[in-house]
């Protein structure tokens, strides 16, 4: 018998699953779904269906192009085709219900289960399984499935691997540890293919995304004596490069990657809104608290926010707040 | 007792190590050393020294900036300070002796050991341990150390992880498989830190490298109906961006990453020479044979060449040869 990955939460997961027999289940993800969101939805729906529970995945936004081939024959629906009547809801990879959009959050306000790894998740379901030291929701689900000896087919293994590979930045972030590699080893044994996943994720670029990257790199500004690198995308950039907002995913990593930079930022203006993404080199920079100043949130190393405004108005406010934040970090006086 | 990784080669490795007691040993790497080269040298020297064998690493070229922090207190020497007299030589990650430069190849023409994963390695030592299905020389050495229960300290574990992480492109290439993850799990247990490694490798960019990337992306030309993407660097680019030739490492991956592109190329002109790097999405494109047309070579998916010329002269020749090569690939008529 192998040592369990998450002994107590896995037992509670099994109890929640037990309660779902004979019910219809929706597995909800978040807006602008990423690899861990889609991977977790695919994996959980497939596992439940293998256990003969009638589950479908529902997401408010379409599945991004590079993630579509991870779905296989897993049933995926959008908000227009929700099941009628009594339905049990499970949220995955959502720090709160609203992350899945207002319509779904209202329709499914009393979920049975909430599986997530975001430290900011305060719990909102009958059973909350939040493991904030896990690298990905996919890692948590893999642990639950293995601990309970639930069936994991090759598509499920690949979906769980997808979540882990993307949310660890291909094993580059702090979350990539011994447990993560142990889980990936088992997933490979069950049919996950790291190279196939990488081909889908990284070898299907559009020329427009190369132009978007060029525009982003050309916009870099260094603030706070070089400790902060800010890249910007203006409102017309998607049209001019024939790209979609989903194509700006991960660009912010380039801003963080510079030597001496503690915090990298992507700020974009779209439809009169500012969307910000923040990445720190180290947990002590607590960009989740920085994002909170702009009504956002996230992880200590990766956070984001959305608010009304334009780039030219917002930029000086942002740099002022970043500077004040770094001062607090340096002084050890962060107000948590 | 765990199942051995490489049973027969590990036993031969142990025999070779047995023969080295009371001898002085140099562990040789290759020119323009990469993560797997430096990592393998560090790991093997440390392991031998822990076994009380007097070993030092020798490399013809300096250790690149982003790899220096993986060396720790491992003794590293260049060609100017070679030990005198009788010395036993071990080549790591070198497909032939000349990869370590002519001076070292001549001085150490009768090596006791050759540990490598390049399929083109035909053997040149008293004991040749070439495992071409391994993702990295670091993976092979890790397997040898584990199979023989040799001591692996934290610096050694991190050096072996470095080799695997870089030679699999952060677990993106075909070599990233179940065995690789199993080995990485054990290395993490011995002190390897994927996030620390990634910080050294990817989070110490220079602003000039960002400009170099911009210049490279802006140069993209698509040939052969979009199946080939060629990026170019002109002779003045390094000076203008305050970068070094080693900073163009990995840029060619961007050219390959486009959807529909089978072969990505980086062609640069430097000091009246053309240097080409070729990357294919699939082994069947055999860029090693394409590189051979220009007196180069390499792997089926990754190859390179150097020849006299200028960009403007070479470009039409290159596109003509690529087109002819792809036609042969399509027809299945490649002359091997």
């Amino acid at each position: 018998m192998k040592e369990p990955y998450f002994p107590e939460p896995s037992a509670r997961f099994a109890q929640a699953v037990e309660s779902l027999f004979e019910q219809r289940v929706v597995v909800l993800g978040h807006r602008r779904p990423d690899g861990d969101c889609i991977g977790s939805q695919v994996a959980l729906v497939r596992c439940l269906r293998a256990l003969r529970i009638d589950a479908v995945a529902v997401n408010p936004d379409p599945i991004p192009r590079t993630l579509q081939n991870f779905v296989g024959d897993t049933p995926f629906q959008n908000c227009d085709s929700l099941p009628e009547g009594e339905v049990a809801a499970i949220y995955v990879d959502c720090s709160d219900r609203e992350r899945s959009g207002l319509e779904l959050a209202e329709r499914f306000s009393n979920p049975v289960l909430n599986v997530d790894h975001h430290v900011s998740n305060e719990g909102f379901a009958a059973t909350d399984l939040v493991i904030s030291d896990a690298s990905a929701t996919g890692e948590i689900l893999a642990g639950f499935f293995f601990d309970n000896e639930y069936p994991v087919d090759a598509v499920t293994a690949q979906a769980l691997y997808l979540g882990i590979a993307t949310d660890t930045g291909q094993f580059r972030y702090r979350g990539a540890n011994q447990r993560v590699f142990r889980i990936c080893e088992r997933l490979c044994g069950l049919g996950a293919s790291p190279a196939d996943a990488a081909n889908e994720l990284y070898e299907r670029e559009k020329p427009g995304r190369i132009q978007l990257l060029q525009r982003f790199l050309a916009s870099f500004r260094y603030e706070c004596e070089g400790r902060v690198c800010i890249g910007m995308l203006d409102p017309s950039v998607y049209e001019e490069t024939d790209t979609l907002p989903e194509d700006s995913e991960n660009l912010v990593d380039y801003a963080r990657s510079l030597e001496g930079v503690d915090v990298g930022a992507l700020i974009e203006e779209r439809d009169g809104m500012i969307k910000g993404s923040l990445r720190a080199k180290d947990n002590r920079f607590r960009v989740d608290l920085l994002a909170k100043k702009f009504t956002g949130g996230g992880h200590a190393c990766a956070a984001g926010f959305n608010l009304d405004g334009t780039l030219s108005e917002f930029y000086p406010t942002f740099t002022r707040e970043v500077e004040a934040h770094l001062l607090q970090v340096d002084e050890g006086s962060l107000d948590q």
Side-chain angles (χ1 to χ4, degrees), chain A:
Chain A
M1 181 62 193
K2 302 209 182 203
E3 204 179 313
Y5 294 95
F6 306 111
E8 192 270 344
S10 284
R12 290 169 62 213
F13 179 74
Q15 279 168 14
V17 168
E18 287 289 327
S19 76
L20 294 173
F21 288 102
E22 311 294 320
Q23 291 196 58
R24 284 183 307 161
V25 177
V26 292
V27 175
L28 305 164
H30 57 74
R31 296 197 72 94
R32 305 206 3 182
D34 56 11
D36 194 28
C37 172
I38 298 296
S40 297
Q41 290 184 277
V42 166
L44 184 51
V45 165
R46 296 185 81 81
C47 178
L48 293 174
R49 292 176 77 89
L51 296 168
R52 305 201 173 278
I53 293 167
D54 177 15
V56 297
V58 175
N59 202 292
D61 287 336
I63 300 168
R65 186 178 62 97
T66 57
L67 301 177
Q68 284 167 5
N69 286 340
F70 291 92
V71 174
D73 59 356
T74 319
F76 245 88
Q77 295 178 358
N78 60 28
C79 300
D80 302 334
S81 53
L82 291 179
E84 306 267 321
E86 195 70 27
V87 181
I90 302 176
Y91 284 79
V92 292
D93 204 39
C94 293
S95 53
D96 55 50
R97 275 165 294 204
E98 288 66 33
R99 287 281 289 132
S100 76
L102 289 181
E103 189 183 343
L104 293 175
E106 248 171 54
R107 169 84 164 82
F108 301 109
S109 56
N110 292 305
V112 294
L113 192 56
N114 155 34
V115 182
D116 188 30
H117 70 124
H118 291 91
V119 66
S120 55
N121 191 314
E122 292 176 355
F124 51 81
T127 300
D128 295 301
L129 299 172
V130 179
I131 302 178
S132 62
D133 81 340
S135 66
T137 302
E139 181 190 346
I140 300 172
L141 288 172
F144 290 171
F145 297 172
F146 292 146
D147 288 346
N148 290 299
E149 295 181 4
Y150 286 162
V152 175
D153 70 6
V155 175
T156 305
Q158 185 74 333
L160 293 167
Y161 177 82
L162 165 69
I164 294 170
T166 53
D167 257 28
T168 59
Q170 286 295 135
F171 308 93
R172 288 182 297 135
Y173 307 153
R174 222 22 89 183
N177 57 23
Q178 190 171 13
R179 184 175 68 204
V180 164
F181 284 114
R182 191 178 309 146
I183 286 174
C184 287
E185 194 241 314
R186 286 184 74 171
L187 293 174
C188 287
L190 293 164
S193 164
D196 287 349
N199 279 343
E200 294 292 334
L201 292 168
Y202 313 114
E203 305 281 339
R204 297 182 58 197
E205 293 288 8
K206 301 183 293 188
R209 230 182 85 93
I210 297 289
Q211 289 168 34
L212 194 69
L213 173 57
Q214 277 177 258
R215 294 273 293 260
F216 179 67
L217 298 177
S219 78
F220 277 10
R221 286 204 225 167
Y222 301 93
E223 302 286 350
C224 304
E225 294 169 328
R227 295 176 63 189
V228 178
C229 174
I230 306 171
M232 283 159 283
L233 295 174
D234 59 51
S236 60
V237 72
Y238 293 109
E239 201 182 338
E240 285 163 21
T241 57
D242 192 21
T243 52
L244 298 170
E246 72 185 49
D247 292 316
S248 65
E249 185 86 26
N250 297 336
L251 285 185
V252 64
D253 290 340
Y254 289 90
R256 183 186 52 186
S257 72
L258 287 136
E259 178 134 49
V261 164
D262 295 325
V263 175
L266 159 60
I267 315 177
E268 56 178 307
E269 181 185 332
R270 209 161 69 219
D271 307 325
M273 295 279 290
I274 293 288
K275 177 175 151 39
S277 301
L278 306 172
R279 295 291 182 276
K281 282 224 178 95
D282 194 291
N283 281 337
R284 73 191 169 89
F285 295 112
R286 290 301 301 269
V287 288
D288 56 323
L289 297 179
L290 180 57
K292 212 171 159 187
K293 295 188 184 184
F294 308 110
T295 71
H299 303 282
C301 264
F305 57 85
N306 290 281
L307 73 176
D308 291 329
T310 65
L311 267 181
S312 54
E313 285 163 12
F314 181 67
Y315 191 86
T317 313
F318 180 67
T319 53
R320 200 169 52 237
E321 291 291 348
V322 176
E323 192 161 2
H325 178 76
L326 285 184
L327 192 66
Q328 287 187 303
V329 170
D330 294 345
E331 286 174 346
S333 65
L334 266 185
D335 185 20
Q336 315 235 346

